[in-house]
Amino acid sequence: SIRRHTRLWPSKVGRMSELGIGALGPVDTLDTPERVRLDLELAGPMSRAFAFSTDYVFILLLMTVGLMLVVSGSQQIIEWLSQFSFLQDLFERIERFVLDVEDGDGSAVLRGVALSIGIWLILDLFLTTCYFLTFETLLRGRTPGKILTQLRVVSADGRVVGWRQSLLRNLLRMVDAMPAGYLVGIVAMLASPRIQRLGDLVANTVVIRERQD
């Protein structure tokens, strides 16, 4: 079995130098079944927030490019999608939902706004999940934002994160983001001795700071 010892916020810089860690932070010590002791510096909420913000800039850029491509070829896309009867029926239902109102108090506008927000949330969850799943799987727990901040997500036992773990932790990102500003995730990280948000707790992962050799 794996034994774990957590030392929170070491006070001696000398000890951190022995570990090869440049920044002060909580250190989690794992004793693996192979009798290898791993000293992992856990990433704090601020560094994780900066890494996510950097990644989300890339996600917004991808969404912008995708939207521009869709708009530029919107007529051809609509004609292609109209070939599928179920999509045509879906578009008609959406049109009726937005426009089928009897009063003139702006209900159509409110419905259109609500529909746009719903579509945005679904698209955001899909692209964000695909982005993090792809990079964390191919780059062994890293994304462009994590590379810039020298962070990496790993399994709680120190092993390389798997795609199932990455998928699970990123699907739960929507819950961590509730009700706004990642409040649930921040509270979970502050309450967790290993600074884990809900997605990390369920997927059994931690985010660490990579050593500077």
Side-chain angles (χ1 to χ4, degrees):
S1 60
I2 296 176
R3 292 179 295 174
R4 179 172 58 84
H5 317 278
T6 302
R7 301 190 298 278
L8 294 179
W9 309 111
S11 58
K12 295 183 179 180
V13 178
R15 174 55 181 161
M16 300 303 293
S17 299
E18 293 176 9
L19 297 177
I21 300 172
L24 295 177
V27 176
D28 202 45
T29 301
L30 300 176
D31 293 326
T32 68
E34 295 80 8
R35 297 183 179 180
V36 176
R37 172 161 291 190
L38 301 176
D39 289 310
L40 307 176
E41 183 191 3
L42 302 175
M46 292 301 295
S47 58
R48 293 182 61 169
F50 183 79
F52 175 78
S53 299
T54 303
D55 282 318
Y56 200 68
V57 169
F58 288 116
I59 293 173
L60 291 177
L61 289 176
L62 292 174
M63 294 178 69
T64 301
V65 172
L67 181 61
M68 293 175 60
L69 293 176
V70 170
V71 171
S72 63
S74 58
Q75 186 62 37
Q76 292 82 354
I77 293 176
I78 293 176
E79 292 178 356
W80 180 74
L81 292 177
S82 63
Q83 300 175 5
F84 302 94
S85 58
F86 73 95
L87 288 177
Q88 187 175 5
D89 181 65
L90 176 62
F91 293 150
E92 292 176 354
R93 289 175 180 271
I94 293 175
E95 183 179 7
R96 288 198 299 269
F97 171 78
V98 175
L99 301 178
D100 190 13
V101 290
E102 297 180 356
D103 52 10
D105 58 358
S107 296
V109 175
L110 293 177
R111 289 187 176 190
V113 171
L115 180 63
S116 300
I117 294 175
I119 294 176
W120 167 263
L121 292 176
I122 294 174
L123 182 62
D124 179 74
L125 175 63
F126 175 77
L127 291 180
T128 301
T129 301
C130 290
Y131 175 92
F132 282 98
L133 175 63
T134 300
F135 280 109
E136 289 178 355
T137 301
L138 296 180
L139 300 183
R140 300 167 65 87
R142 298 189 301 171
T143 62
K146 289 184 177 67
I147 292 174
L148 290 175
T149 52
Q150 299 175 344
L151 304 183
R152 183 189 297 267
V153 58
V154 297
S155 181
D157 60 4
R159 301 177 188 274
V160 176
V161 67
W163 70 268
R164 291 183 179 86
Q165 290 175 296
S166 177
L167 177 62
L168 185 57
R169 72 187 300 271
N170 285 298
L171 284 176
L172 287 171
R173 189 180 297 276
M174 179 175 61
V175 179
D176 281 306
M178 296 175 66
Y182 274 80
L183 180 60
V184 171
I186 292 173
V187 171
M189 284 190 286
L190 294 177
S192 170
R194 308 185 75 185
I195 320 181
Q196 294 168 291
R197 60 179 177 84
L198 292 183
D200 290 315
L201 291 170
V202 175
N204 197 32
T205 57
V206 293
V207 179
I208 64 172
R209 185 179 301 278
E210 295 189 298
R211 296 184 178 186
Q212 295 298 301
D213 296 325

